Amino acid sequence: MTSKQPKLAVLVKGWPRLSETFIAQELVALQDAGHRFDIWSLRHPTDVKRHPLHDRFKGQVHYLPEYLYEEPDRVWAARGVAKSLPGYAEAYTVWRADLRRDPTHNRIRRFGQACVLAAELPAETHVMYAHFMHTPSSVARYAAIMRGLPWSFSAHAKDIWTSPDWEKAEKLQASTHGAAFGATCTAIGAEHLRGLADDPARVDLIYHGLDLNRFPEPPNRAARAPDGPFHMLSVGRLVEKKGFDRLIDAFAMLPTALDWHWTHIGGGTLSQALSERAKAAGIADRITWRGACDQPEVIAAMRASDLFVLPSRIAEDGDRDGLPNVLMEAASQLLPILSTPVSAIPEFIDTGTHGLLSDDNPAALAEAITEMATNPDRTTAMANAARTRLLAEFRMDPGIALLSKRLSALGASKD
């Protein structure tokens, strides 16, 4: 007889989120592999749309208090329960040490959310798994100490490169109530985290890969004339690390003879600023801003485009991409790729073989766009090579198998 409550609890920043398809893909795959779990979300959803993947999740979604003052009765009741737990005093000590080094409202909120999580988790919960190494992992760590449970995490990009080393190191040490294991989706991230861990084997490299069952076979792309219309597409949040400001500047440098158009999919804080930048450059009529779209809309846009552009760069605060899944999605549809050699992008794209990796300055981007637009045969060959590499090395299944094995070993057995 199986328990009515799942043994595994998964903690995320927000659910559902259009920009975090890689998380939804992984969780649905774990579910399909036999794991039962509920999701505990730090934030309520803000996206109007949702991906079909989100509708495939069969567990419950619980929302922790996004801001403690919004649910005071729930928070105070939970803290009363938490104080009765055997590990509360130790969790409080750990949190106070963190608070001295990070005296922020966010750090206080993390502990309050951890009290609610520890108080409301079913008694049958054996394991916690958090997506992102910063805030979600802190909440999971405090709650795990209170409940005396093992916890684990998956790290991605911003959480690795903008978190202080002291915090990452303590989450990777057994002596400081660190994670039983951590997974990360890039080799460069794995190398960095292994250097902070008490045991490098605590960190697994698990590429998200792509579940190709979610994608149609690529379209039969007609041969494009070098001087024909050239439709570019980008999918990504309008934030500094995506580099779209420099891409707009690059568009203004393209040859006047090039008949180009650019479509952008995604929301973000820089939406108005970038729209105004395009108007100032005199190219607004060549740009379509589509905003947030669901997965079928993204795939349709990829199939109708001639080039995928992602001009990633390192932001002022150190934030950067990891290995964006959207590059693999583009490759699945034989859509040629232009990106930059930031972080783990070269782990998938060898420049000149699977696409082009340009410097992120506008002049270099403009030159690369022109090269790919005016040399369609070479561009097509690179797109074919990228899809071949995707099929051979970046499928989702091997990573899910390893992650499932790790979680099962901690007690998140399949029901």
Side-chain angles (χ1 to χ4, degrees), residues 148-366:
L149 299 175
W151 70 281
S152 53
F153 68 82
S154 182
H156 302 290
K158 180 178 183 179
D159 51 329
I160 297 176
W161 305 115
T162 65
S163 296
D165 281 354
W166 65 262
E167 183 168 10
K168 290 179 288 191
E170 290 186 8
K171 288 175 178 173
L172 287 164
Q173 309 284 326
S175 61
T176 51
H177 303 282
F181 77 88
T184 189
C185 52
T186 66
I188 190 172
E191 180 182 9
H192 174 73
L193 295 180
R194 286 168 180 163
L196 297 172
D198 55 0
D199 179 2
R202 194 182 296 276
V203 179
D204 289 321
L205 169 59
I206 300 180
Y207 286 115
H208 294 304
L210 210 62
D211 178 6
L212 292 170
N213 293 322
R214 295 193 295 112
F215 294 85
E217 287 295 308
N220 293 319
R221 295 185 176 273
R224 200 189 131 267
D227 59 350
F230 189 62
H231 191 176
M232 292 174 281
L233 173 70
S234 296
V235 180
R237 289 179 298 130
L238 295 170
V239 295
E240 182 186 1
K241 71 177 180 180
K242 297 297 183 179
F244 293 128
D245 54 341
R246 296 181 181 177
L247 183 59
I248 288 172
D249 293 347
F251 289 151
M253 299 178 181
L254 292 175
T256 56
L258 185 61
D259 181 13
W260 65 272
H261 191 90
W262 180 56
T263 296
H264 176 270
I265 291 177
T269 55
L270 297 180
S271 176
Q272 183 175 347
L274 292 174
S275 177
E276 292 174 353
R277 194 183 195 100
K279 290 177 183 176
I283 57 174
D285 60 335
R286 290 178 176 262
I287 295 175
T288 299
W289 305 95
R290 290 192 56 182
C293 293
D294 61 27
Q295 191 75 50
E297 291 172 317
V298 171
I299 294 172
M302 287 180 171
R303 294 171 70 86
S305 300
D306 300 306
L307 178 68
F308 188 84
V309 188
L310 187 66
S312 302
R313 63 187 175 98
I314 299 175
E316 288 294 325
D317 66 355
D319 190 13
R320 68 201 74 176
D321 276 328
L323 175 52
N325 260 37
V326 72
L327 294 177
M328 287 176 270
E329 293 173 7
S332 80
Q333 300 305 299
L334 283 176
L335 179 58
I337 295 168
L338 168 61
S339 192
T340 55
V342 168
S343 191
I345 292 173
E347 294 175 33
F348 179 55
I349 301 293
D350 289 331
T351 190
T353 301
H354 310 102
L356 287 186
L357 299 182
S358 164
D359 290 342
D360 63 12
N361 66 77
L365 288 167

Side-chain angles (χ1 to χ4, degrees), residues 12-24 41 43-52 54-55 63 66 236-238 265-269 290-295 297-298:
V12 299
K13 286 192 303 182
W15 181 274
R17 281 187 161 186
L18 286 176
S19 63
E20 294 176 357
T21 315
F22 57 94
I23 294 178
S41 177
R43 298 176 184 172
H44 289 269
T46 56
D47 296 318
V48 176
K49 298 182 179 181
R50 47 194 290 139
H51 294 311
H54 295 128
D55 296 326
Y63 291 96
E66 190 163 346
R237 289 179 298 130
L238 295 170
I265 291 177
T269 55
R290 290 192 56 182
C293 293
D294 61 27
Q295 191 75 50
E297 291 172 317
V298 171

Side-chain angles (χ1 to χ4, degrees), residues 30-179:
L30 284 173
Q31 176 184 268
D32 291 345
H35 290 279
R36 288 200 308 118
F37 53 90
D38 285 350
I39 290 174
W40 296 77
S41 177
L42 304 185
R43 298 176 184 172
H44 289 269
T46 56
D47 296 318
V48 176
K49 298 182 179 181
R50 47 194 290 139
H51 294 311
L53 267 175
H54 295 128
D55 296 326
R56 289 175 56 190
F57 176 64
K58 299 175 183 176
Q60 295 185 37
V61 181
H62 308 267
Y63 291 96
L64 297 173
E66 190 163 346
Y67 295 99
L68 304 183
Y69 67 83
E70 293 179 338
E71 298 184 66
D73 293 343
R74 184 184 179 193
V75 172
W76 283 110
R79 192 172 184 200
V81 173
K83 283 183 175 180
S84 69
L85 296 173
Y88 178 83
E90 179 63 20
Y92 184 80
T93 298
V94 169
W95 170 67
R96 291 291 297 182
D98 291 347
L99 185 63
R100 283 193 294 272
R101 292 170 290 186
D102 176 32
T104 61
H105 289 296
N106 185 38
R107 182 67 61 174
I108 295 170
R109 183 165 64 248
R110 294 182 201 185
F111 192 74
Q113 289 175 319
C115 287
V116 175
L117 179 61
E120 296 184 0
L121 277 175
E124 294 88 346
T125 302
H126 291 179
V127 183
M128 280 191 279
Y129 173 57
H131 260 285
F132 291 103
M133 197 179 182
H134 50 0
T135 304
S137 284
S138 292
V139 175
R141 181 186 179 212
Y142 301 145
I145 297 171
M146 294 180 201
R147 290 284 297 265
L149 299 175
W151 70 281
S152 53
F153 68 82
S154 182
H156 302 290
K158 180 178 183 179
D159 51 329
I160 297 176
W161 305 115
T162 65
S163 296
D165 281 354
W166 65 262
E167 183 168 10
K168 290 179 288 191
E170 290 186 8
K171 288 175 178 173
L172 287 164
Q173 309 284 326
S175 61
T176 51
H177 303 282

